[in-house]
Amino acid sequence: MESPDPSPNLKSKPSNTYLKYSGLAIQLFGAIGLLGWLGYTLDQYLALNFPAFMLLFGFLAFGGMMFQVYRSIKRDNP
């Protein structure tokens, strides 16, 4: 016996998917930019020769956003 089609409200529209993932991309660039700037400012304040905090905060932002993308994909595809 065939299962009935899901209701139209439960179907994922392609435009919603594009908007969601483009929103995640904007969040990725924003988080890396903001935390990178914050790290740069901290490096300047502490007068460090090597941009340690800028790199650290940039990598943390990237890792956090990749985890967010993973959770989003996992939630959509159970």
Side-chain angles (χ1 to χ4, degrees):
M1 180 183 287
E2 292 182 32
S3 63
D5 288 336
S7 67
N9 295 337
L10 296 178
K11 288 184 180 179
S12 176
K13 294 182 182 179
S15 62
N16 288 341
T17 304
Y18 295 136
L19 289 174
K20 181 173 68 171
Y21 290 119
S22 64
L24 283 172
I26 291 169
Q27 288 177 9
L28 171 69
F29 290 123
I32 291 173
L34 179 66
L35 289 175
W37 173 80
L38 194 64
Y40 175 78
T41 305
L42 186 59
D43 286 333
Q44 293 297 316
Y45 179 75
L46 297 174
L48 298 177
N49 291 332
F50 183 74
F53 286 106
M54 184 178 74
L55 290 173
L56 176 68
F57 290 171
F59 284 129
L60 285 175
F62 182 77
M65 287 307 299
M66 287 298 109
F67 179 69
Q68 184 72 17
V69 168
Y70 170 75
R71 283 189 352 167
S72 176
I73 291 172
K74 187 176 176 185
R75 187 177 335 133
D76 291 343
N77 300 321

